[in-house]
């Protein structure tokens, strides 16, 4: 049910946002993600903010629900 209800929203994410979402769901810190992707910590934080806005969530748990439902973890 979650998949059907949220597929359209999830489909709007860019490939980079999906990658960031996957790492966030695995509890990696922004600095760790930045190092893995060779981007700045500020960029990771911007992606996190954009993900929360696009997905309409406010907690890390809710972000991880999306990652789990769409097989990113």
């Amino acid at each position: 049910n979650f998949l059907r209800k949220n597929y359209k929203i999830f489909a709007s994410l860019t490939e980079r946002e999906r990658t960031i979402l996957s790492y966030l769901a695995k509890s990696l810190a922004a600095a760790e993600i930045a190092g893995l992707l060779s981007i700045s910590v500020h960029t990771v934080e911007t992606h996190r903010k954009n993900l929360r806005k696009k997905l309409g969530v406010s907690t890390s748990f809710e972000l991880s629900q999306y990652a789990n439902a769409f097989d990113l973890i």
Side-chain angles (χ1 to χ4, degrees):
N1 215 8
F2 184 87
L3 288 173
R4 281 189 220 127
K5 186 177 175 185
N6 297 294
Y7 178 77
K8 196 175 220 180
I9 296 168
F10 180 79
S12 74
L13 299 181
T14 66
E15 190 63 36
R16 179 63 93 179
E17 287 171 332
R18 291 177 191 195
T19 301
I20 299 284
L21 178 58
S22 174
Y23 286 137
L24 290 171
K26 294 174 186 171
S27 299
L28 270 65
E32 292 173 298
I33 298 168
L36 289 169
L37 300 177
S38 300
I39 58 178
S40 74
V41 173
H42 178 72
T43 301
V44 174
E45 293 297 338
T46 299
H47 279 299
R48 182 193 325 246
K49 182 182 78 171
N50 292 341
L51 281 165
R52 286 183 172 174
K53 185 176 179 180
K54 279 186 176 183
L55 298 176
V57 300
S58 59
T59 67
S60 295
F61 174 74
E62 291 171 310
L63 283 174
S64 66
Q65 280 185 305
Y66 270 91
N68 190 35
F70 290 97
D71 294 324
L72 296 179
I73 52 175

